[in-house]
Amino acid sequence: MNIQQMTQKPNRYYWVLAIVILIGLVVSAVFLSSSRGALHDDIAIRIAVSKTPLSAPVFIADEMGYFDAHCSNVELVEVVGGKRSFEMMASGKADFATSSDSVIVYNAFDRSDFVTLASFVQADNDVKFITREDSSLIQGGDFVNRKIAVYKNSASEYFLTTYLALEGVDIANVTLINATPDTMPQMLASGEVDAIVPWEPYGYKTVQLLDGSANVLPTKNLYSLSFNLIGNKKNMAAQPVKSACVLSALSDAIDYISSNPSQTQNVIGRRLSLESDFIFWMWPDYIFKLSLNKSLLMNLESQAQWVVQTGGTQKTEAPDFMKVLDPGPLAKIKPEAASLQGNLE
């Protein structure tokens, strides 16, 4: 073997090695891109989000760029109330909605074309029962034959039904006025109704509007609601990656909320045009946590039984909520949070 042959052999070896390494890098890049693309595909996602501090994880995910990191082309459609948010999702105008557990219950009696993907906050003092101090309405019996503004088929109506039942008053003996929470403060101030049942921030806005003449009844712990991410079942089947990327963004947002409460409160105050005093006042009532567990299932079943017993529906049996609960997407990104998996006995 001459010197030229000896030098050519190593050169060929290095060239082959270089090509193999290059191919490996390309294959790895394609693999990572495809696996990332499962959560970052260029798919337009619309989220109908209720304009309440309960939707804080969605607003933080948007503000801090977590949707950009996990999804792409995410649009928030801000509406008043989880009921309106649900309606947009159900009609196909949005892929996802943020809504309370009560909205899930009322809708599950008539449809199963949606899925609940996760709860992201719980609160035991968000819905308020408010009267005017000069009305002398202070306990259940006082509300017989009185006008009460509620947002029907929502947490507002369920809360009022529960309160009156505990006070021994049949809801049939009061006059319910259907109204959106943002209109309730003025309705109470003008005397159009005797009491209102809004959720925050409209409870706080009522107290402000009445300027010392509002009476907030003591109902903390009467009803612990959850706010949930709900998806359009048809859209989820067509683009299953949407659920995973949105849940990943919400998970990051909740971590941020836990580590940065002051910054979070500033963001929510600015996004919803809320005073810092209000944010500080209501924040301790909220527990932000991503989950889909048996506690939610039991809560939904309990509310549904209550709706049946009180005549809130013509149906005689509660829905099968497992048809509208889907722990699969959450289990993929946060297995310990999706404890609906497995035996439910």
Side-chain angles (χ1 to χ4, degrees):
M1 181 180 292
N2 58 36
I3 294 178
Q4 184 177 2
Q5 290 175 321
M6 292 176 63
T7 56
Q8 285 179 343
K9 201 167 186 179
N11 284 342
R12 282 200 204 97
Y13 171 78
Y14 289 127
W15 273 109
V16 171
L17 181 61
I19 291 172
V20 170
I21 293 174
L22 180 60
I23 291 173
L25 291 173
V26 171
V27 171
S28 298
V30 170
F31 174 78
L32 291 174
S33 176
S34 62
S35 62
R36 177 67 170 172
L39 297 182
H40 203 287
D41 204 357
D42 190 21
I43 302 170
I45 297 174
R46 301 189 83 206
I47 304 175
V49 54
S50 177
K51 294 170 65 175
T52 164
L54 289 167
S55 296
V58 179
F59 292 121
I60 290 298
D62 183 57
E63 184 82 14
M64 303 307 298
Y66 298 136
F67 285 132
D68 293 336
H70 293 284
C71 311
S72 64
N73 196 16
V74 173
E75 177 188 359
L76 301 187
V77 184
E78 299 182 16
V79 298
V80 175
K83 180 181 175 182
R84 176 59 181 151
S85 174
F86 184 97
E87 289 169 351
M88 288 197 66
M89 176 274 303
S91 67
K93 295 179 181 178
D95 300 292
F96 300 96
T98 67
S99 297
S100 72
D101 40 34
S102 295
V103 172
I104 296 171
V105 170
Y106 283 109
N107 279 279
F109 277 102
D110 300 312
R111 61 196 310 159
S112 59
D113 58 350
F114 66 93
V115 288
T116 306
L117 299 164
S119 298
F120 50 79
V121 64
Q122 287 79 40
D124 65 0
N125 196 32
D126 192 68
V127 183
K128 302 292 196 301
F129 196 179
I130 308 176
T131 66
R132 295 185 307 275
E133 283 197 342
D134 58 6
S135 68
S136 300
L137 300 176
I138 58 176
Q139 58 186 5
D142 300 332
F143 292 95
V144 173
N145 298 324
R146 301 288 188 142
K147 295 180 180 178
I148 305 177
V150 298
Y151 194 25
K152 289 190 175 181
N153 296 338
S154 74
S156 174
E157 183 176 11
Y158 176 72
F159 176 92
L160 177 62
T161 303
T162 303
Y163 173 84
L164 292 177
L166 291 175
E167 292 289 317
V169 177
D170 190 329
I171 197 167
N173 293 327
V174 303
T175 302
L176 300 183
I177 306 297
N178 191 25
T180 56
D182 56 321
T183 63
M184 290 182 188
Q186 185 57 46
M187 292 175 70
L188 184 62
S190 67
E192 183 179 350
V193 295
D194 300 298
I196 61 174
V197 188
W199 50 74
E200 297 297 357
Y202 303 106
Y204 181 79
K205 290 185 176 182
T206 302
V207 172
Q208 282 188 311
L209 181 63
L210 271 64
D211 192 23
S213 61
N215 178 33
V216 181
L217 299 184
T219 57
K220 182 176 172 61
N221 295 320
L222 175 63
Y223 165 49
S224 181
L225 68 81
S226 67
F227 233 51
N228 311 274
L229 181 71
I230 304 170
N232 182 298
K233 190 175 287 187
K234 182 178 179 180
N235 289 353
M236 298 306 96
Q239 297 290 353
V241 299
K242 291 181 177 180
S243 302
C245 81
V246 171
L247 288 169
S248 295
L250 293 183
S251 180
D252 288 351
I254 289 173
D255 288 343
Y256 179 90
I257 291 171
S258 177
S259 302
N260 304 276
S262 297
Q263 294 91 325
T264 298
Q265 291 172 37
N266 290 335
V267 170
I268 300 305
R270 174 170 50 79
R271 293 287 295 253
L272 298 179
S273 300
L274 300 174
E275 297 180 5
S276 57
D277 287 347
F278 163 69
I279 297 292
F280 182 78
W281 175 52
M282 47 66 60
W283 204 253
D285 293 330
Y286 292 172
I287 300 174
F288 295 99
K289 182 181 179 181
L290 202 61
S291 65
L292 192 64
N293 54 36
K294 297 175 187 177
S295 176
L296 174 63
L297 177 62
M298 293 171 63
N299 187 14
L300 297 176
E301 291 175 339
S302 176
Q303 289 191 45
Q305 290 294 338
W306 190 264
V307 172
V308 170
Q309 292 170 8
T310 56
T313 179
Q314 295 182 348
K315 303 291 177 65
T316 57
E317 294 183 0
D320 178 3
F321 287 103
M322 287 306 298
K323 293 181 179 179
V324 295
L325 297 177
D326 183 4
L330 182 60
K332 290 179 181 178
I333 69 162
K334 204 176 181 69
E336 71 280 6
S339 56
L340 271 178
Q341 300 279 68
N343 184 18
L344 291 175
E345 294 297 325

